[in-house]
Amino acid sequence: MHKKIVEYYAPHMLPLIRSKKVGVYPLQLIRALEKKYGTEWTKEFVRLCRKHDVKKSVFKSVVATGKEIELFERLKALENTIQEAKQEISRGRKPKL
């Protein structure tokens, strides 16, 4: 809906809007996570979900079933694996995956 409003009222801004990733996770779920785990943990969790393209439907089902800690741990492990692979590549070695 936001994009349609921008298209109508400010078409010169459309390239800027298209270039940004807009978070689509429901704010009420994010607020519920903040109450349960705190703001810092929730920011990190949402950042990891966005970075690794976790779909909105998956995000909603994970939070609804209370498995957000499990997803967070998996995303952190993935993040660590990616960092280790980047370090190996920068050293000129073949990464261990």
Side-chain angles (χ1 to χ4, degrees):
M1 181 157 52
H2 177 71
K3 285 184 182 180
K4 287 182 182 181
I5 292 169
V6 171
E7 285 175 2
Y8 183 76
Y9 288 105
H12 62 282
M13 290 181 61
L14 198 56
L16 181 86
I17 299 295
R18 285 190 180 142
S19 68
K20 291 189 175 186
K21 277 189 159 182
V22 179
V24 295
Y25 302 134
L27 189 57
Q28 62 197 26
L29 292 179
I30 293 172
R31 296 293 178 244
L33 289 172
E34 285 177 345
K35 285 181 181 178
K36 193 173 182 180
Y37 300 106
T39 304
E40 292 303 314
W41 184 90
T42 303
K43 281 182 181 179
E44 180 67 11
F45 178 63
V46 172
R47 183 190 70 79
L48 286 172
C49 288
R50 287 182 176 148
K51 182 176 181 179
H52 297 291
D53 296 324
V54 174
K55 304 285 184 212
K56 177 182 177 179
S57 58
V58 173
F59 182 85
K60 287 171 66 175
S61 66
V62 164
V63 174
T65 57
K67 295 184 179 180
E68 56 272 356
I69 297 290
E70 182 180 328
L71 178 60
F72 179 77
E73 290 172 356
R74 288 182 181 209
L75 290 174
K76 277 301 244 189
L78 177 61
E79 189 83 2
N80 291 338
T81 303
I82 291 170
Q83 289 292 6
E84 289 171 4
K86 284 181 180 179
Q87 289 174 354
E88 291 294 318
I89 290 170
S90 69
R91 292 179 189 141
R93 299 180 192 160
K94 186 176 179 181
K96 300 173 188 173
L97 300 175

